[in-house]
Amino acid sequence: MHRKFNQLFSGLIILLLIASSQSLIAQGASDLKFNEILVLNESNFVDEYGQHNSWIEIVNSSYSTVNIGGCYLTDDKANPTKYWIPNDSPETMIPPRGFVLFFADNKPTRGIFHLNFVIDQGQTLYLFDTNGRSLIDELNIPMSQEVDISYARTHIDEEEWTKMTHTTPRSENDHSRKKSAGDQFVEHDPSGIGMVIVAMSVVFSALAILFLFYLFVGKRFTTRAKSKPQTAEAGAKPAKEEGQLSGEINAAIAMSLYLYQAELHDEENTVLTIKKVARTYSPWNSKIYTLRKNPRI
């Protein structure tokens, strides 16, 4: 039983470690990926200098803030550390489901988000992790790019790419109204029976888990309490606690007290006295003198 308890405890520790590692991974650079690019920019989005340059958009697909600082962008896989993204700026912190934009103008002196190379159709872009060896994401720029028409993902969580006549720098590529999870659930379960079943299943599952947990813990402690006297009987008799008397000693003390009390009554010391009752008697008080033998005629 003790072994099973240790195994259960170890399993809980492993689950906690896995959950914590998953949360750490979710906050890493592995969730960064290319989201949209514009190669031929003539009258589209401009940088802070008012220039129409090619730009590259990267998205944080996780639900935690990710720092892209320290990673590398390059158009040459043989040179993975071509452009190092400085990591000493709060601007490199990408919020959950957020975006960051880099301008491929070959003018890195203009700021963190200005690359030291330019892009063209037919090239391949690479995003490497901070170690300069782990590839996070890559993008093959197809030929026949059109002016002011970007090449983007259909959705952040999708792998499909398409051309977009309306570019969306630093924002979602798909701005169409989407059904919420609640709306979709209502479509599949208009009467609400499914929701009731799901809710009750969750509650009863939680209660069942709690019941099994407390049942297991209770049996564990009960078994441990029962095993202690058996261990004592198998070996030497356990030492008596200080101040505790056995049954034989208590019986001897009780018998001694009884005999002591009995000996006190062997010699009777009670004195019996007889008192004479004196009563005053007067013949005039007798009833015979008050009654006549014969009634008067």
Side-chain angles (χ1 to χ4, degrees):
M1 195 70 175
H2 182 67
R3 184 177 180 183
K4 291 182 179 180
F5 182 78
N6 290 336
Q7 291 177 352
L8 178 62
F9 184 75
S10 302
L12 292 175
I13 295 297
I14 293 173
L15 289 175
L16 291 176
L17 291 175
I18 292 174
S20 60
S21 63
Q22 290 294 332
S23 62
L24 291 175
I25 292 173
Q27 297 179 10
S30 60
D31 293 297
L32 300 175
K33 53 187 177 182
F34 294 106
N35 187 58
E36 185 178 6
I37 63 168
L38 180 61
V39 178
L40 304 176
N41 184 4
E42 291 187 0
S43 59
N44 199 269
F45 192 76
V46 297
D47 60 12
E48 62 271 29
Y49 294 92
Q51 302 295 318
H52 294 87
N53 295 308
S54 303
W55 48 266
I56 304 168
E57 183 185 64
I58 295 177
V59 62
N60 171 19
S61 61
S62 71
Y63 292 90
S64 303
T65 300
V66 175
N67 187 7
I68 197 175
C71 297
Y72 299 90
L73 274 170
T74 181
D75 59 346
D76 184 6
K77 195 172 185 178
N79 184 14
T81 60
K82 188 171 185 178
Y83 180 75
W84 177 71
I85 304 172
N87 58 359
D88 56 353
S89 174
E91 296 178 350
T92 59
M93 300 295 295
I94 308 177
R97 315 290 282 185
F99 308 86
V100 64
L101 211 63
F102 291 91
F103 295 96
D105 54 1
N106 198 21
K107 296 177 181 178
T109 57
R110 288 189 172 182
I112 296 175
F113 302 105
H114 291 264
L115 306 177
N116 57 357
F117 59 88
V118 295
I119 60 174
D120 197 0
Q121 50 190 349
Q123 287 182 322
T124 302
L125 300 176
Y126 304 93
L127 175 63
F128 283 90
D129 207 344
T130 54
N131 56 19
R133 297 184 302 274
S134 302
L135 180 62
I136 299 175
D137 194 19
E138 64 178 295
L139 172 62
N140 297 317
I141 305 175
M143 300 295 292
S144 68
Q145 292 293 312
E146 301 179 26
V147 176
D148 295 334
I149 294 180
S150 65
Y151 184 61
R153 294 178 185 269
T154 56
H155 190 267
I156 293 176
D157 301 317
E158 300 292 338
E159 297 298 329
E160 183 181 355
W161 288 70
T162 185
K163 291 183 179 181
M164 299 186 62
T165 56
H166 299 284
T167 59
T168 57
R170 297 195 181 101
S171 65
E172 286 271 4
N173 298 334
D174 185 7
H175 291 285
S176 60
R177 185 180 181 277
K178 303 176 182 62
K179 295 180 181 179
S180 64
D183 295 336
Q184 295 177 4
F185 197 92
V186 169
E187 289 183 356
H188 292 85
D189 183 31
S191 61
I193 297 176
M195 177 65 72
V196 173
I197 294 174
V198 171
M200 294 181 66
S201 301
V202 171
V203 173
F204 282 112
S205 299
L207 292 175
I209 293 172
L210 288 175
F211 171 76
L212 293 175
F213 174 77
Y214 287 116
L215 179 64
F216 177 81
V217 173
K219 287 184 177 180
R220 167 65 182 165
F221 285 104
T222 303
T223 304
R224 179 181 295 180
K226 291 181 178 179
S227 62
K228 287 183 178 180
Q230 296 176 358
T231 304
E233 292 176 0
K237 292 184 178 180
K240 296 180 180 179
E241 296 182 1
E242 185 178 357
Q244 182 178 2
L245 301 177
S246 64
E248 294 83 357
I249 297 175
N250 289 328
I253 293 173
M255 180 60 70
S256 300
L257 292 174
Y258 173 76
L259 293 175
Y260 174 76
Q261 294 292 334
E263 289 177 357
L264 292 179
H265 295 82
D266 288 345
E267 296 180 1
E268 297 292 341
N269 56 2
T270 305
V271 179
L272 298 177
T273 58
I274 301 174
K275 294 182 178 181
K276 184 179 180 180
V277 179
R279 295 182 179 178
T280 58
Y281 176 75
S282 174
W284 301 105
N285 294 333
S286 179
K287 293 182 178 181
I288 60 175
Y289 295 104
T290 59
L291 295 177
R292 297 180 181 214
K293 294 182 179 180
N294 299 317
R296 291 178 182 180
I297 298 175

